Amino acid sequence: MNINHAGRALLFAGFAIGLSSCGVIPGSSMATVEPGYAGLKIQLYGGQKGIENAEVVTGRVWYNGYTEEVVTFPTFINTYPFTQAASEGSPTDESVVFSVGGSPVSADVGLSFGFTTELLPGQANKTKLHQFYETYRKTPDQFRANELRNGIRNCFGEVAEQQKLTPSMLPTNQQKLVHGVSACVQRQFPTIVVQDVSLLGPLRLPPEIQKSIDEQFAAQQAAQTAESNRRKVEAEAAANVAKAKGEAQVTVEQARAEAEANRLRAASITPQVLELERLKVERARIEKWNGEQAPTIQTPNVQLGSNAGQPPKSPAPQ
């Protein structure tokens, strides 16, 4: 048994020596860390093993496939959808389900996040990427599908409780809820960069609760419409009253002005003024006189002169 084991060891050694002589190092592998990504080159065996001594690498990386591992992480911000539909994100239902006031709520959520090689405070060689892998020991896809999705669900429930939301309050408080969830996710996962949390569609409630909310919302809309119409009618009536008052005031002011003018005219008429006007008329008549007496106008059966007033004489007999 030992001889066979020794023989296999010698055979492997000879094979390794043969490959080395051809310029190929046994177990050597190459990985390419594309731009926008960062890699961790981790020692799996020996005195330097562990994430503490992992090296952040980019570009073309050579490593020993037997004793080393290279794990890559996207450092750009990427938006991943956690949705119910199989056509987005995962083919399985990844929608986030949480509780609001004891009622289950399902949400399609988009999360924009990325990883970072930012150095930890007080550390010369240890980055947030080191700390992330040391904490979770997961690839980005594994982390996103498990810890990150669970963390989002917990944050939705926690923030909804903190804001004391009820199912009927959700339609008008979605942005406030999402803003709180975004801050909660960043606090819960400080080793990644969380840029944004968004709702990719309406929140889904149980049908009976959604129906009640819709009816309540319709009643509120009807009440608001009725109140708006009432205010409009009142405003129009007030405008008409104001217009009538204004017109009446104008009439009153015009009458007052006319009365005041008449009073002033009456007060200005004095005997001297009348005499002056009479003289003006007389002067105008004199200026127009042509030197002749006014013609005498006779009327039928009326004679002017010394016989005036006497009856006419009878004609003399023939």
Side-chain angles (χ1 to χ4, degrees), residues 118-295:
E118 178 186 350
L119 289 173
L120 293 172
Q123 301 287 334
N125 299 313
K126 193 173 183 180
T127 68
K128 287 187 176 182
L129 199 59
H130 288 84
Q131 189 177 40
F132 167 83
Y133 197 77
E134 184 178 14
T135 302
Y136 299 105
R137 302 284 178 169
K138 298 286 182 68
T139 64
D141 289 340
Q142 293 170 339
F143 168 73
R144 183 190 64 231
N146 295 280
E147 284 80 5
L148 190 54
R149 179 168 173 266
N150 292 336
I152 294 174
R153 181 182 63 240
N154 294 337
C155 281
F156 265 99
E158 177 183 327
V159 174
E161 184 177 356
Q162 289 175 351
Q163 296 180 358
K164 299 180 180 180
L165 298 179
T166 62
S168 62
M169 296 169 63
L170 287 176
T172 56
N173 289 272
Q174 291 187 14
Q175 292 303 317
K176 182 180 178 182
L177 174 64
V178 168
H179 181 75
V181 170
S182 180
C184 174
V185 174
Q186 183 63 84
R187 288 194 306 270
Q188 188 167 343
F189 301 105
T191 57
I192 65 174
V193 177
V194 177
Q195 186 180 77
D196 184 51
V197 175
S198 59
L199 292 176
L200 303 181
L203 296 173
R204 292 181 290 271
L205 290 161
E208 64 278 5
I209 296 179
Q210 186 63 56
K211 180 181 178 182
S212 175
I213 293 175
D214 292 342
E215 292 174 350
Q216 181 180 356
F217 182 73
Q220 290 175 350
Q221 289 294 103
Q224 291 175 0
T225 301
E227 178 64 17
S228 177
N229 291 336
R230 184 187 67 80
R231 291 180 179 177
K232 181 178 179 182
V233 170
E234 289 182 351
E236 290 176 351
N240 291 333
V241 170
K243 180 180 178 182
K245 287 182 177 180
E247 292 175 349
Q249 185 66 28
V250 169
T251 302
V252 169
E253 293 299 326
Q254 288 176 343
R256 287 177 178 173
E258 186 66 23
E260 180 66 15
N262 291 335
R263 187 188 67 80
L264 294 175
R265 291 191 193 100
S268 65
I269 298 175
T270 62
Q272 292 81 2
V273 173
L274 292 175
E275 179 64 18
L276 179 61
E277 290 296 324
R278 188 187 68 78
L279 292 174
K280 288 181 179 179
V281 172
E282 183 66 19
R283 181 178 181 181
R285 186 182 66 79
I286 293 172
E287 289 176 350
K288 292 181 179 180
W289 183 54
N290 57 6
E292 297 180 358
Q293 294 290 338

Side-chain angles (χ1 to χ4, degrees), residues 11-137:
L11 179 62
F12 179 78
F15 180 70
I17 293 172
L19 289 176
S20 298
S21 63
C22 295
V24 178
I25 301 175
S28 64
S29 301
M30 186 191 72
T32 300
V33 181
E34 300 288 345
Y37 289 81
L40 281 179
K41 185 177 180 181
I42 305 168
Q43 298 289 335
L44 302 177
Y45 302 99
Q48 298 296 316
K49 71 177 182 179
I51 189 64
E52 295 84 358
N53 298 307
E55 179 186 355
V56 177
V57 292
T58 57
R60 183 171 297 180
V61 182
W62 290 93
Y63 66 100
N64 190 318
Y66 295 131
T67 62
E68 295 175 321
E69 179 184 17
V70 175
V71 183
T72 59
F73 300 86
T75 54
F76 57 91
I77 299 298
N78 184 37
T79 300
Y80 186 86
F82 296 94
T83 65
Q84 188 181 62
S87 59
E88 294 184 277
S90 171
T92 60
D93 183 358
E94 284 190 327
S95 60
V96 176
V97 180
F98 58 100
S99 176
V100 175
S103 299
V105 180
S106 175
D108 292 336
V109 180
L111 178 65
S112 300
F113 75 102
F115 296 87
T116 176
T117 57
E118 178 186 350
L119 289 173
L120 293 172
Q123 301 287 334
N125 299 313
K126 193 173 183 180
T127 68
K128 287 187 176 182
L129 199 59
H130 288 84
Q131 189 177 40
F132 167 83
Y133 197 77
E134 184 178 14
T135 302
Y136 299 105
R137 302 284 178 169

